[in-house]
Protein backbone atom coordinates (compact mmCIF):
# COMPACT_ATOMS: atom_id res chain seq x y z
CA UNK A 1 0.00 0.00 0.00
CA UNK A 2 1.17 3.46 -0.82
CA UNK A 3 0.42 4.78 2.66
CA UNK A 4 2.54 2.13 4.34
CA UNK A 5 5.48 2.83 2.07
CA UNK A 6 5.10 6.52 2.60
CA UNK A 7 5.08 6.04 6.36
CA UNK A 8 8.16 3.82 6.24
CA UNK A 9 9.99 6.15 3.91
CA UNK A 10 9.10 9.10 6.07
CA UNK A 11 10.58 7.38 9.08
CA UNK A 12 13.72 6.45 7.16
CA UNK A 13 14.03 9.90 5.69
CA UNK A 14 13.95 11.52 9.13
CA UNK A 15 16.53 9.09 10.43
CA UNK A 16 18.83 9.59 7.46
CA UNK A 17 18.59 13.35 7.39
CA UNK A 18 19.27 13.90 11.06
CA UNK A 19 20.67 10.85 12.79
CA UNK A 20 20.61 12.62 16.16
CA UNK A 21 16.84 12.93 16.11
CA UNK A 22 15.34 9.59 16.90
CA UNK A 23 11.78 9.22 15.72
CA UNK A 24 10.04 5.91 16.23
CA UNK A 25 6.37 5.45 15.46
CA UNK A 26 6.15 2.20 17.41
CA UNK A 27 6.65 2.02 21.17
CA UNK A 28 9.78 0.24 22.37
CA UNK A 29 9.59 -2.93 24.39
CA UNK A 30 11.39 -2.74 27.71
CA UNK A 31 10.38 -6.03 29.35
CA UNK A 32 8.19 -9.08 28.97
CA UNK A 33 5.81 -10.60 31.50
CA UNK A 34 4.19 -14.03 30.99
CA UNK A 35 4.58 -13.71 27.26
CA UNK A 36 3.06 -10.21 27.25
CA UNK A 37 5.30 -7.41 26.02
CA UNK A 38 5.78 -4.48 28.39
CA UNK A 39 6.43 -1.32 26.40
CA UNK A 40 7.67 2.04 27.63
CA UNK A 41 4.26 3.61 26.89
CA UNK A 42 2.56 0.90 28.94
CA UNK A 43 4.87 1.72 31.85
CA UNK A 44 4.01 5.41 31.44
CA UNK A 45 0.30 4.62 31.48
CA UNK A 46 0.86 2.82 34.79
CA UNK A 47 2.62 5.92 36.08
CA UNK A 48 -0.41 7.99 35.00
CA UNK A 49 -2.72 5.56 36.78
CA UNK A 50 -0.54 5.82 39.88
CA UNK A 51 -0.78 9.63 39.76
CA UNK A 52 -4.56 9.44 39.49
CA UNK A 53 -4.61 6.95 42.37
CA UNK A 54 -2.60 9.40 44.47
CA UNK A 55 -5.05 12.17 43.52
CA UNK A 56 -7.95 9.93 44.53
CA UNK A 57 -6.29 9.08 47.81
CA UNK A 58 -5.56 12.73 48.57
CA UNK A 59 -9.11 13.87 47.71
CA UNK A 60 -10.70 11.03 49.66
CA UNK A 61 -8.62 11.66 52.76
CA UNK A 62 -9.62 15.33 52.92
CA UNK A 63 -13.22 14.96 51.81
CA UNK A 64 -15.54 16.94 54.09
CA UNK A 65 -18.87 18.73 54.06
CA UNK A 66 -17.07 22.06 54.36
CA UNK A 67 -14.66 21.87 51.43
CA UNK A 68 -11.07 23.04 51.34
CA UNK A 69 -9.62 24.87 48.35
CA UNK A 70 -8.55 21.75 46.51
CA UNK A 71 -11.83 19.98 47.21
CA UNK A 72 -13.68 23.03 45.91
CA UNK A 73 -11.66 22.82 42.70
CA UNK A 74 -12.37 19.11 42.31
CA UNK A 75 -16.08 19.61 43.03
CA UNK A 76 -16.23 22.50 40.59
CA UNK A 77 -14.61 20.37 37.88
CA UNK A 78 -16.85 17.37 38.54
CA UNK A 79 -19.96 19.51 38.86
CA UNK A 80 -19.19 21.41 35.66
CA UNK A 81 -18.50 18.22 33.71
CA UNK A 82 -21.64 16.56 35.08
CA UNK A 83 -23.87 19.55 34.33
CA UNK A 84 -22.39 19.86 30.84
CA UNK A 85 -23.10 16.17 30.14
CA UNK A 86 -26.61 16.51 31.51
CA UNK A 87 -27.29 19.59 29.37
CA UNK A 88 -25.98 17.85 26.27
CA UNK A 89 -27.74 14.53 26.75
CA UNK A 90 -30.89 16.23 28.10
CA UNK A 91 -31.30 13.23 30.38
CA UNK A 92 -30.21 12.98 34.02
CA UNK A 93 -30.08 9.17 34.07
CA UNK A 94 -27.86 8.95 31.00
CA UNK A 95 -25.70 11.77 32.35
CA UNK A 96 -25.03 9.74 35.51
CA UNK A 97 -24.25 6.67 33.40
CA UNK A 98 -21.81 8.38 31.03
CA UNK A 99 -20.18 10.70 33.58
CA UNK A 100 -17.53 8.23 34.89
CA UNK A 101 -16.41 7.08 31.43
CA UNK A 102 -16.15 10.58 29.98
CA UNK A 103 -14.39 12.08 32.99
CA UNK A 104 -11.96 9.14 33.16
CA UNK A 105 -11.15 9.50 29.45
CA UNK A 106 -10.41 13.18 30.01
CA UNK A 107 -8.39 12.71 33.21
CA UNK A 108 -6.38 9.79 31.79
CA UNK A 109 -5.48 11.48 28.50
CA UNK A 110 -4.95 14.97 29.93
CA UNK A 111 -2.79 13.72 32.83
CA UNK A 112 -0.68 11.64 30.45
CA UNK A 113 -0.19 14.65 28.17
CA UNK A 114 0.61 16.97 31.10
CA UNK A 115 3.53 14.82 32.23
CA UNK A 116 4.93 14.30 28.73
CA UNK A 117 7.79 16.79 29.24
CA UNK A 118 8.60 15.77 32.80
CA UNK A 119 12.36 15.23 33.01
CA UNK A 120 13.06 11.52 32.87
CA UNK A 121 10.38 10.71 30.34
CA UNK A 122 12.30 9.83 27.20
CA UNK A 123 15.69 10.55 28.72
CA UNK A 124 16.20 7.56 31.02
CA UNK A 125 17.48 4.75 28.83
CA UNK A 126 17.44 1.01 29.37
CA UNK A 127 18.93 -1.89 27.44
CA UNK A 128 16.55 -4.52 26.23
CA UNK A 129 17.01 -7.09 23.50
CA UNK A 130 20.32 -5.58 22.42
CA UNK A 131 18.85 -2.11 21.94
CA UNK A 132 19.02 1.05 23.99
CA UNK A 133 15.50 2.39 24.46
CA UNK A 134 13.87 5.04 26.67
CA UNK A 135 12.30 3.66 29.84
CA UNK A 136 9.31 5.99 29.69
CA UNK A 137 7.60 7.43 26.65
CA UNK A 138 4.68 9.83 26.42
CA UNK A 139 1.62 7.59 26.60
CA UNK A 140 -0.36 8.93 23.68
CA UNK A 141 2.53 8.69 21.22
CA UNK A 142 1.65 5.01 20.99
CA UNK A 143 -1.16 4.07 18.65
CA UNK A 144 -1.85 1.00 20.82
CA UNK A 145 -2.97 3.28 23.65
CA UNK A 146 -5.11 5.61 21.57
CA UNK A 147 -6.61 2.68 19.65
CA UNK A 148 -7.48 0.87 22.88
CA UNK A 149 -9.15 4.02 24.21
CA UNK A 150 -10.95 4.40 20.88
CA UNK A 151 -12.27 0.85 20.97
CA UNK A 152 -13.61 1.47 24.48
CA UNK A 153 -15.18 4.78 23.48
CA UNK A 154 -16.78 3.38 20.32
CA UNK A 155 -18.06 0.31 22.18
CA UNK A 156 -19.55 2.60 24.82
CA UNK A 157 -21.26 4.66 22.11
CA UNK A 158 -22.73 1.61 20.34
CA UNK A 159 -23.80 -0.04 23.61
CA UNK A 160 -25.45 3.21 24.71
CA UNK A 161 -27.40 3.28 21.44
CA UNK A 162 -28.51 -0.35 21.82
CA UNK A 163 -29.50 0.11 25.48
CA UNK A 164 -31.43 3.30 24.73
CA UNK A 165 -33.26 2.17 21.59
CA UNK A 166 -33.10 -1.63 21.60
CA UNK A 167 -30.98 -3.65 19.19
CA UNK A 168 -33.32 -3.68 16.19
CA UNK A 169 -34.28 -0.03 16.30
CA UNK A 170 -30.65 0.98 16.73
CA UNK A 171 -29.60 -1.27 13.83
CA UNK A 172 -32.43 0.29 11.84
CA UNK A 173 -30.53 3.58 11.94
CA UNK A 174 -27.94 2.02 9.62
CA UNK A 175 -29.87 -0.63 7.72
CA UNK A 176 -32.99 1.18 6.65
CA UNK A 177 -35.03 -0.42 3.87
CA UNK A 178 -37.91 2.06 3.87
CA UNK A 179 -36.64 3.79 0.75
CA UNK A 180 -33.54 3.71 -1.48
CA UNK A 181 -32.49 7.13 -0.20
CA UNK A 182 -32.80 6.09 3.43
CA UNK A 183 -30.86 2.93 2.65
CA UNK A 184 -27.96 4.89 1.19
CA UNK A 185 -28.02 7.40 4.05
CA UNK A 186 -28.00 4.51 6.51
CA UNK A 187 -24.99 2.89 4.86
CA UNK A 188 -23.14 6.21 4.87
CA UNK A 189 -23.94 6.58 8.57
CA UNK A 190 -22.63 3.07 9.17
CA UNK A 191 -19.36 3.84 7.40
CA UNK A 192 -18.97 7.10 9.33
CA UNK A 193 -19.60 5.07 12.50
CA UNK A 194 -16.74 2.72 11.55
CA UNK A 195 -14.47 5.59 10.56
CA UNK A 196 -14.48 6.72 14.19
CA UNK A 197 -11.97 3.95 14.96
CA UNK A 198 -9.54 5.77 12.70
CA UNK A 199 -10.48 9.37 13.46
CA UNK A 200 -10.49 9.03 17.27
CA UNK A 201 -7.25 7.08 17.51
CA UNK A 202 -5.24 8.96 14.89
CA UNK A 203 -6.38 12.42 16.03
CA UNK A 204 -5.03 11.89 19.53
CA UNK A 205 -1.96 9.94 18.41
CA UNK A 206 -1.15 12.40 15.62
CA UNK A 207 -1.48 15.51 17.78
CA UNK A 208 0.72 14.27 20.60
CA UNK A 209 3.22 12.47 18.38
CA UNK A 210 3.59 15.49 16.12
CA UNK A 211 4.11 17.67 19.19
CA UNK A 212 6.89 15.39 20.42
CA UNK A 213 8.57 15.34 17.03
CA UNK A 214 8.27 19.11 16.72
CA UNK A 215 9.85 19.62 20.14
CA UNK A 216 12.61 17.13 19.28
CA UNK A 217 13.41 18.91 16.00
CA UNK A 218 13.30 22.38 17.56
CA UNK A 219 15.41 21.21 20.50
CA UNK A 220 17.94 19.87 18.03
CA UNK A 221 18.24 23.01 15.95
CA UNK A 222 17.42 25.81 18.44
CA UNK A 223 18.00 24.36 21.87
CA UNK A 224 17.34 25.97 25.28
CA UNK A 225 14.87 28.74 24.49
CA UNK A 226 12.56 28.03 21.60
CA UNK A 227 11.32 24.68 22.94
CA UNK A 228 9.91 26.34 26.09
CA UNK A 229 6.93 28.21 24.56
CA UNK A 230 6.32 25.25 22.25
CA UNK A 231 6.27 22.91 25.25
CA UNK A 232 3.75 25.18 26.96
CA UNK A 233 1.64 25.13 23.82
CA UNK A 234 1.92 21.35 23.58
CA UNK A 235 0.71 21.02 27.18
CA UNK A 236 -2.29 23.15 26.23
CA UNK A 237 -2.86 20.98 23.17
CA UNK A 238 -2.56 17.90 25.38
CA UNK A 239 -5.34 19.04 27.71
CA UNK A 240 -7.47 20.13 24.75
CA UNK A 241 -7.01 16.72 23.12
CA UNK A 242 -8.18 15.04 26.32
CA UNK A 243 -11.25 17.26 26.31
CA UNK A 244 -11.83 16.69 22.58
CA UNK A 245 -11.71 12.93 22.98
CA UNK A 246 -14.23 13.00 25.84
CA UNK A 247 -16.45 15.60 24.15
CA UNK A 248 -16.62 13.71 20.85
CA UNK A 249 -17.52 10.56 22.76
CA UNK A 250 -20.26 12.54 24.52
CA UNK A 251 -21.66 13.94 21.25
CA UNK A 252 -21.65 10.54 19.55
CA UNK A 253 -23.39 9.04 22.58
CA UNK A 254 -25.99 11.78 22.26
CA UNK A 255 -26.46 10.91 18.58
CA UNK A 256 -26.62 7.19 19.36
CA UNK A 257 -29.31 7.44 22.05
CA UNK A 258 -31.46 9.85 20.01
CA UNK A 259 -34.58 8.48 18.35
CA UNK A 260 -34.03 7.56 14.66
CA UNK A 261 -35.16 10.18 12.13
CA UNK A 262 -38.77 10.08 11.12
CA UNK A 263 -39.85 7.89 14.03
CA UNK A 264 -42.05 10.52 15.63
CA UNK B 1 -2.05 -3.46 6.13
CA UNK B 2 0.53 -5.64 7.90
CA UNK B 3 3.18 -3.07 7.12
CA UNK B 4 1.03 -0.32 8.56
CA UNK B 5 0.35 -2.36 11.69
CA UNK B 6 4.01 -3.14 12.23
CA UNK B 7 5.06 0.44 11.47
CA UNK B 8 2.86 1.66 14.32
CA UNK B 9 3.77 -1.29 16.51
CA UNK B 10 0.18 -2.42 16.87
CA UNK B 11 0.03 -5.56 18.98
CA UNK B 12 -3.26 -7.09 20.08
CA UNK B 13 -1.76 -8.04 23.43
CA UNK B 14 -0.88 -4.40 24.08
CA UNK B 15 -4.38 -3.38 23.05
CA UNK B 16 -5.83 -5.87 25.53
CA UNK B 17 -3.51 -4.74 28.32
CA UNK B 18 -4.34 -1.07 27.67
CA UNK B 19 -8.04 -1.89 27.56
CA UNK B 20 -7.84 -3.74 30.89
CA UNK B 21 -5.75 -0.87 32.27
CA UNK B 22 -8.37 1.67 31.36
CA UNK B 23 -11.22 -0.50 32.63
CA UNK B 24 -9.43 -0.85 35.97
CA UNK B 25 -8.83 2.89 36.13
CA UNK B 26 -12.46 3.58 35.27
CA UNK B 27 -13.72 1.17 37.93
CA UNK B 28 -11.28 2.46 40.56
CA UNK B 29 -11.98 6.14 39.95
CA UNK B 30 -15.74 5.55 39.82
CA UNK B 31 -15.75 3.65 43.09
CA UNK B 32 -13.19 5.64 45.05
CA UNK B 33 -13.47 9.15 43.61
CA UNK B 34 -16.55 10.00 41.53
CA UNK B 35 -19.20 8.31 43.65
CA UNK B 36 -18.10 9.80 47.00
CA UNK B 37 -17.52 13.28 45.56
CA UNK B 38 -20.81 13.34 43.65
CA UNK B 39 -22.62 12.00 46.71
CA UNK B 40 -21.11 14.78 48.77
CA UNK B 41 -22.14 17.39 46.19
CA UNK B 42 -25.69 16.00 46.12
CA UNK B 43 -25.83 15.92 49.91
CA UNK B 44 -24.66 19.50 50.19
CA UNK B 45 -27.11 20.60 47.50
CA UNK B 46 -29.88 18.86 49.44
CA UNK B 47 -28.78 20.57 52.63
CA UNK B 48 -28.70 23.99 51.00
CA UNK B 49 -32.18 23.40 49.56
CA UNK B 50 -33.30 22.34 53.02
CA UNK B 51 -31.80 25.53 54.48
CA UNK B 52 -33.55 27.70 51.89
CA UNK B 53 -36.82 25.87 52.52
CA UNK B 54 -36.57 26.28 56.29
CA UNK B 55 -35.63 29.95 55.89
CA UNK B 56 -38.75 30.50 53.78
CA UNK B 57 -40.74 28.59 56.39
CA UNK B 58 -39.30 30.78 59.15
CA UNK B 59 -40.15 33.92 57.15
CA UNK B 60 -43.68 32.69 56.68
CA UNK B 61 -43.99 31.89 60.37
CA UNK B 62 -42.63 35.30 61.29
CA UNK B 63 -45.14 37.00 58.99
CA UNK B 64 -47.90 34.86 60.48
CA UNK B 65 -46.82 35.76 63.99
CA UNK B 66 -46.78 39.45 63.05
CA UNK B 67 -50.28 39.25 61.62
CA UNK B 68 -51.52 37.35 64.65
CA UNK B 69 -49.82 39.80 67.02
CA UNK B 70 -51.31 42.78 65.21
CA UNK B 71 -54.71 41.14 65.38
CA UNK B 72 -54.34 40.53 69.07
CA UNK B 73 -53.24 44.12 69.73
CA UNK B 74 -56.14 45.43 67.62
CA UNK B 75 -58.67 43.30 69.46
CA UNK B 76 -57.20 44.35 72.78
CA UNK B 77 -57.42 48.03 71.82
CA UNK B 78 -61.05 47.63 70.76
CA UNK B 79 -61.88 45.76 73.95
CA UNK B 80 -60.15 48.38 76.02
CA UNK B 81 -62.20 51.10 74.32
CA UNK B 82 -65.39 49.22 75.01
CA UNK B 83 -64.30 48.70 78.58
CA UNK B 84 -63.55 52.37 79.09
CA UNK B 85 -66.86 53.36 77.49
CA UNK B 86 -68.74 50.92 79.69
CA UNK B 87 -66.93 52.14 82.76
CA UNK B 88 -67.67 55.73 81.86
CA UNK B 89 -71.37 55.14 81.31
CA UNK B 90 -71.57 53.14 84.48
CA UNK B 91 -69.82 55.88 86.39
CA UNK B 92 -72.27 58.40 84.94
CA UNK B 93 -75.19 56.23 86.02
CA UNK B 94 -73.79 55.85 89.46
CA UNK B 95 -73.17 59.59 89.75
CA UNK B 96 -76.75 60.31 88.72
CA UNK B 97 -78.02 57.83 91.25
CA UNK B 98 -75.95 59.39 93.98
CA UNK B 99 -77.10 62.84 92.96
CA UNK B 100 -80.73 61.75 92.98
CA UNK B 101 -80.36 60.10 96.37
CA UNK B 102 -78.73 63.22 97.68
CA UNK B 103 -81.54 65.37 96.30
CA UNK B 104 -84.14 63.10 97.87
CA UNK B 105 -82.41 63.26 101.17
CA UNK B 106 -82.00 66.98 100.96
CA UNK B 107 -85.72 67.31 100.23
CA UNK B 108 -86.44 65.03 103.22
CA UNK B 109 -84.26 67.14 105.47
CA UNK B 110 -85.93 70.32 104.21
CA UNK B 111 -89.42 68.96 104.86
CA UNK B 112 -88.50 67.85 108.33
CA UNK B 113 -86.98 71.23 109.06
CA UNK B 114 -90.21 72.91 107.90
CA UNK B 115 -92.30 70.65 110.14
CA UNK B 116 -90.01 71.36 113.07
CA UNK B 117 -90.25 75.06 112.45
CA UNK B 118 -94.08 74.88 112.35
CA UNK B 119 -94.09 72.99 115.63
CA UNK B 120 -91.74 75.50 117.23
CA UNK B 121 -93.95 78.35 116.04
CA UNK B 122 -97.09 76.68 117.36
CA UNK B 123 -95.38 76.01 120.65
CA UNK B 124 -94.14 79.53 120.84
CA UNK B 125 -97.59 80.84 120.11
CA UNK B 126 -99.17 78.59 122.68
CA UNK B 127 -96.61 79.60 125.25
CA UNK B 128 -96.91 83.28 124.51
CA UNK B 129 -100.70 83.15 124.81
CA UNK B 130 -100.28 81.41 128.19
CA UNK B 131 -97.86 84.11 129.26
CA UNK B 132 -100.23 86.79 128.16
CA UNK B 133 -103.01 85.16 130.15
CA UNK B 134 -100.76 84.94 133.22
CA UNK B 135 -99.65 88.52 132.81
CA UNK B 136 -103.25 89.56 132.43
CA UNK B 137 -104.17 87.69 135.61
CA UNK B 138 -101.25 89.25 137.44
CA UNK B 139 -102.20 92.64 136.12
CA UNK B 140 -105.80 92.12 137.22
CA UNK B 141 -104.61 90.95 140.68
CA UNK B 142 -102.43 94.03 140.96
CA UNK B 143 -105.23 96.31 139.97
CA UNK B 144 -107.54 94.62 142.42
CA UNK B 145 -105.00 94.92 145.19
CA UNK B 146 -104.48 98.61 144.53
CA UNK B 147 -108.19 99.18 144.57
CA UNK B 148 -108.58 97.24 147.76
CA UNK B 149 -105.71 99.03 149.40
Amino acid sequence: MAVEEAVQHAGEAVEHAAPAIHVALAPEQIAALWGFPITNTLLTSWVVMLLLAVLTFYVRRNLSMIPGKFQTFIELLFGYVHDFIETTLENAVWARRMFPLLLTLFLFIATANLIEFTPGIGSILVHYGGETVPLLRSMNTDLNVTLALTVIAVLAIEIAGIVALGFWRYAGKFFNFSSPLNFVVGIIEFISELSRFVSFSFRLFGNIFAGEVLIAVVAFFVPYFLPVPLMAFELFVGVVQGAVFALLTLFFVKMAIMEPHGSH
Amino acid sequence: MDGLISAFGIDWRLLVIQGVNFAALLAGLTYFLYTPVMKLIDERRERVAEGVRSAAEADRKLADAKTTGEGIVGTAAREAEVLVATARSRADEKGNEILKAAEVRAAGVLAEAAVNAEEAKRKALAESSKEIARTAVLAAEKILREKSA
Side-chain angles (χ1 to χ4, degrees), chain A residues 6-247:
Chain A
V7 166
Q8 275 168 345
H9 285 309
E12 284 164 20
V14 169
E15 274 174 43
H16 285 307
I21 302 174
H22 179 68
V23 175
L25 282 172
E28 294 89 354
Q29 192 173 342
I30 52 166
L33 192 65
W34 304 312
F36 278 85
I38 308 293
T39 59
N40 43 16
T41 50
L42 183 57
L43 186 62
T44 311
S45 71
W46 283 334
V47 170
V48 172
M49 287 170 75
L50 188 71
L51 284 175
L52 290 174
V54 169
L55 171 88
T56 303
F57 179 74
Y58 181 76
V59 171
R60 271 303 287 276
R61 208 188 46 177
N62 297 311
L63 211 57
S64 78
M65 204 62 180
I66 300 159
K69 286 190 183 102
F70 187 66
Q71 193 188 327
T72 308
F73 170 71
I74 291 289
E75 284 183 11
L76 217 62
L77 174 73
F78 284 20
Y80 175 77
V81 169
H82 182 266
D83 290 352
F84 186 83
I85 295 171
E86 197 174 325
T87 316
T88 307
L89 295 182
E90 297 167 318
N91 186 326
V93 177
W94 274 102
R96 271 286 149 110
R97 278 181 195 159
M98 297 314 299
F99 173 74
L101 174 72
L102 297 172
L103 189 55
T104 308
L105 280 173
F106 171 71
L107 286 178
F108 191 45
I109 295 169
T111 309
N113 292 342
L114 281 175
I115 65 165
E116 71 182 313
F117 300 121
T118 307
I121 292 184
S123 53
I124 300 172
L125 301 174
V126 290
H127 295 282
Y128 183 81
E131 280 181 63
T132 304
V133 292
L135 179 66
L136 295 162
R137 168 174 165 158
S138 181
M139 191 184 89
N140 291 316
T141 61
D142 176 4
L143 195 62
N144 282 301
V145 178
T146 61
L147 194 56
L149 293 176
T150 301
V151 170
I152 287 170
V154 172
L155 277 181
I157 292 164
E158 305 306 323
I159 290 171
I162 291 169
V163 169
L165 301 176
F167 180 79
W168 293 112
R169 281 181 67 210
Y170 185 66
K173 275 187 173 184
F174 309 110
F175 304 104
N176 192 332
F177 302 103
S178 62
S179 78
L181 182 65
N182 282 346
F183 181 76
V184 172
V185 169
I187 294 297
I188 291 171
E189 292 244 336
F190 186 66
I191 291 167
S192 77
E193 206 82 0
L194 288 179
S195 73
R196 281 176 201 159
F197 282 107
V198 179
S199 65
F200 264 84
S201 57
F202 274 90
R203 180 185 304 110
L204 180 54
F205 168 78
N207 267 288
I208 305 307
F209 189 80
E212 291 265 298
V213 172
L214 178 70
I215 299 288
V217 170
V218 167
F220 182 74
F221 289 110
V222 193
Y224 301 119
F225 294 113
L226 193 55
V228 175
L230 286 173
M231 279 178 175
F233 180 68
E234 286 304 324
L235 290 184
F236 169 71
V237 167
V239 175
V240 167
Q241 283 305 317
V244 163
F245 201 100
L247 282 175

Side-chain angles (χ1 to χ4, degrees), chain B residues 63-98:
Chain B
D64 276 4
K66 218 174 195 176
T67 316
T68 316
E70 274 167 9
I72 289 170
V73 170
T75 316
R78 271 195 302 283
E79 263 171 28
E81 250 168 54
V82 171
L83 220 61
V84 169
T86 317
R88 196 167 282 157
S89 70
R90 224 181 258 161
D92 281 353
E93 257 168 47
K94 198 102 183 173
N96 284 342
E97 248 168 54
I98 291 169

Side-chain angles (χ1 to χ4, degrees), chain B residues 13-84:
Chain B
R13 292 171 300 180
L14 286 174
L15 287 175
V16 169
I17 296 177
Q18 290 291 357
V20 170
N21 250 357
F22 184 79
L25 182 69
L26 175 60
L29 287 181
T30 304
Y31 186 76
F32 290 112
L33 187 61
Y34 305 153
T35 310
V37 170
M38 292 311 280
K39 212 174 110 194
L40 192 74
I41 291 176
D42 285 347
E43 251 172 48
R44 190 175 314 111
R45 194 173 290 176
E46 186 52 42
R47 251 192 221 189
V48 169
E50 183 89 36
V52 170
R53 261 202 302 279
S54 58
E57 178 82 351
D59 277 352
R60 203 180 54 71
K61 271 188 182 158
L62 193 65
D64 276 4
K66 218 174 195 176
T67 316
T68 316
E70 274 167 9
I72 289 170
V73 170
T75 316
R78 271 195 302 283
E79 263 171 28
E81 250 168 54
V82 171
L83 220 61
V84 169

